């Protein structure tokens, strides 16, 4: 990718991560990147195009980090995935914040598609890690609720940073187990899954 284009997107993510997109102008992005207004229009055509491109870049980076690195026990894979997730949160705070908070029209249209795409791919990644081919309604709700919790935890950690990252990551793994325990009381599929996960995770 063209270096100047990357610099413009990085500057845009930094601004969109700190301010509502509606309050960021093309001039703001150009100034932050040390570029001209004309150069921004040359690459992107307008602010919406720039915003979409910047979020797509952040989403692609996050998704690449979450791909499994090895075939391990599901809860260990989940823990390793969380570490890479929070590596992204820490190293690309503005991109993460821009991707998941605020945004024009509450993430409608293309923006909503990008955010929902990240969530859907994360959902399918987790089901593959847990070796589930067809999640039933209770498991689907459970996993989507956990993904929402991880997003919220990431945004809260960026704002406060008053919980050590390793402790937060362990909490989120335990949160997954706790949610599955609740779901197991309502659905045999979740019960079987939980028993299998705990059996594999046992020393």
């Amino acid at each position: 990718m063209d270096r100047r284009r990357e610099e413009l997107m990085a500057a845009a993510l930094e601004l969109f991560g700190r301010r509502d997109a509606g309050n960021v102008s093309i001039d703001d992005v150009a100034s932050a990147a040390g570029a001209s207004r004309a150069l921004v229009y040359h690459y992107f055509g307008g602010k919406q195009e720039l915003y979409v491109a910047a979020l797509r870049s952040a989403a692609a980076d996050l998704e690449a980090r979450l791909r499994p690195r090895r075939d391990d026990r599901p809860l260990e894979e989940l823990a390793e995935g969380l570490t890479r997730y929070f590596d992204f949160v820490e190293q690309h705070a503005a991109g993460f914040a821009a991707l998941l908070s605020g945004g024009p029209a509450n993430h409608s249209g293309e923006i909503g598609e990008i955010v929902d795409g990240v969530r859907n791919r994360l959902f399918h990644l987790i089901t593959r890690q847990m070796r589930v081919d067809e999640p039933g309604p209770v498991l689907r709700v459970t996993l989507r609720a956990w993904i929402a919790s991880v997003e919220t935890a990431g945004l809260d950690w960026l704002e406060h940073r008053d919980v050590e990252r390793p402790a937060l990551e362990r909490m989120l793994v335990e949160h997954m187990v706790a949610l599955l325990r609740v779901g197991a009381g309502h659905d045999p599929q979740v019960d079987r899954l939980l028993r299998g996960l705990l059996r594999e995770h046992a020393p």
Side-chain angles (χ1 to χ4, degrees), residues 47-125:
K47 187 172 75 172
Q48 178 68 10
E49 290 83 355
L50 171 59
Y51 188 67
V52 169
L55 291 191
R56 286 195 191 283
S57 175
D61 189 357
L62 177 57
E63 289 171 18
R65 289 170 182 255
L66 294 177
R67 294 188 190 112
R69 306 287 173 85
R70 59 183 181 180
D71 186 16
D72 214 334
R73 291 181 293 185
L75 288 179
E76 292 179 359
E77 287 184 1
L78 188 71
E80 291 172 3
L82 279 169
T83 295
R84 295 195 298 274
Y85 184 92
F86 277 92
D87 283 344
F88 177 88
V89 172
E90 186 166 14
Q91 295 165 14
H92 302 281
F96 179 80
L99 186 63
L100 294 178
S101 62
N106 297 316
H107 286 161
S108 63
E110 287 183 283
I111 308 304
E113 290 175 8
I114 295 169
V115 176
D116 288 343
V118 172
R119 290 169 178 157
N120 288 334
R121 283 185 281 277
L122 182 55
F123 174 82
H124 291 301
L125 174 63

Side-chain angles (χ1 to χ4, degrees), residues 4-41 43-44 46-54:
R4 288 303 278 155
R5 188 172 188 273
E6 286 184 333
E7 290 172 350
L8 289 169
M9 287 196 295
L13 283 175
E14 179 67 30
L15 291 169
F16 292 138
R18 290 187 284 108
R19 291 152 52 185
D20 184 88
N23 295 324
V24 177
S25 69
I26 289 291
D27 288 332
D28 293 332
V29 175
S31 176
S36 67
R37 176 187 179 93
L39 188 65
V40 181
Y41 280 110
Y43 280 113
F44 300 103
K47 187 172 75 172
Q48 178 68 10
E49 290 83 355
L50 171 59
Y51 188 67
V52 169

Side-chain angles (χ1 to χ4, degrees), residues 190-203:
V190 182
D191 182 57
R192 289 192 300 271
L193 172 62
L194 177 63
R195 289 175 185 274
L197 291 176
L198 295 179
R199 186 165 53 248
E200 287 191 48
H201 195 63

Side-chain angles (χ1 to χ4, degrees), residues 131-143:
R131 305 179 186 107
V132 174
D133 294 326
E134 295 185 16
V138 174
L139 181 57
R140 184 191 67 241
V141 169
T142 299
L143 296 182

